[in-house]
Amino acid sequence: MQPLIDNARTFGQRPDEFAKLAEGQSPQVLFITCSDSRVVPALITGARPGELFELRTAGNIVPPYASEHPTSEAATIEYAVEVLGVRDIVVCGHSHCGAVGALVRGEDLDAVPAVRDWLTHATPRPTGAAEDPAVAEGVQSHVLTQLLRLRSYPFIEKKLKEDQLTLHAWYYEVHTGAVHEHRAATDTFEAL
C-alpha cells in the first residue's frame, strides 16, 4: 500500500496539468470492462484523463435493462450515452477472467453469494474449454452476449438506429498485452 500512498502524495503536486479537468469532461468512448486489477483501460488505450468514461463490473457484465429497478451500471451507461454523448462503446473482456472461468467450469460459488447472484446476469452462461486457463472462447462469447444486452437498452437501440453510436467487442490478453476486436464479417476476434 505504501507505494500507492507515496504516488498519491506527489500526484497532486502538478496542478497545472489538471486545471483543465475542472472545466468538465467530454469522453468519446464508454469502456466497459472487468474489475480485474490486471485490466487498466487507460493503459491499454493510452487515454488521458477525461478521454475515457469507464464502467467496471465483475466479469464486465451488463445487467438487463429495467427502468423500474435501475442499476448503477444502467445509470452509468445512460449517463455516458445521453448526457456525455459518447459515440462508441467498447465491451472488453480479458483472458484469465475469474468470473467467466467460474461460469465456464461450473464452479460452486455458494461461499460468495453476492458474486454468485451477480453472475446470474451472465445469461446465457458462457461456454468454452474448461481446461483452458485463459478461458478465451468463453470470454469472447461472453463479450458478444454483453454487446447484445446493451442493444436491449432503449436509448442504445435508438442511438444505433440513428447511426449515432457504434458498439465494439474487444478481448484483451493479460499475458501478452494483445487486444483483439470482433469482426462481424468473419465472426472472429482479430488483432487490432
Side-chain angles (χ1 to χ4, degrees), residues 71-159:
T71 64
S72 167
E73 297 80 16
T76 299
I77 295 165
E78 181 180 65
Y79 187 80
V81 172
E82 298 291 4
V83 177
L84 296 176
V86 298
R87 302 283 303 182
D88 294 273
I89 299 177
V90 173
V91 176
C92 182
H94 67 94
S95 68
H96 304 85
C97 181
V100 173
L103 291 168
V104 167
R105 291 184 290 273
E107 293 177 4
D108 178 4
L109 298 173
D110 288 342
V112 283
V115 172
R116 177 198 62 216
D117 294 349
W118 171 251
L119 293 182
T120 63
H121 293 302
T123 54
R125 190 170 129 188
T127 59
E131 65 279 359
D132 175 14
V135 289
E137 183 183 343
V139 170
Q140 291 171 7
S141 70
H142 175 68
V143 166
L144 295 175
T145 298
Q146 302 318 298
L147 231 55
L148 287 174
R149 179 77 51 74
L150 271 175
R151 290 177 174 278
S152 73
Y153 282 47
F155 54 91
I156 298 280
E157 181 182 39
K158 179 179 181 280
K159 294 287 185 182

Side-chain angles (χ1 to χ4, degrees), residues 15-65:
D16 294 344
E17 291 180 41
F18 299 101
K20 275 188 84 170
L21 296 176
E23 298 169 14
Q25 61 176 324
S26 58
Q28 296 299 303
V29 178
L30 167 60
F31 200 92
I32 301 173
T33 195
C34 186
S35 304
D36 191 298
S37 62
R38 299 168 293 179
V39 181
V40 183
L43 185 62
I44 294 167
T45 63
R48 304 281 304 142
E51 295 179 342
L52 201 61
F53 201 67
E54 294 181 26
L55 172 60
R56 297 181 66 136
T57 69
N60 55 271
I61 291 175
V62 175
Y65 183 79

Side-chain angles (χ1 to χ4, degrees), residues 155-172:
F155 54 91
I156 298 280
E157 181 182 39
K158 179 179 181 280
K159 294 287 185 182
L160 289 169
K161 283 182 181 174
E162 295 170 350
D163 204 27
Q164 294 181 358
L165 186 65
T166 304
L167 303 180
H168 308 268
W170 285 12
Y171 171 69
Y172 171 65

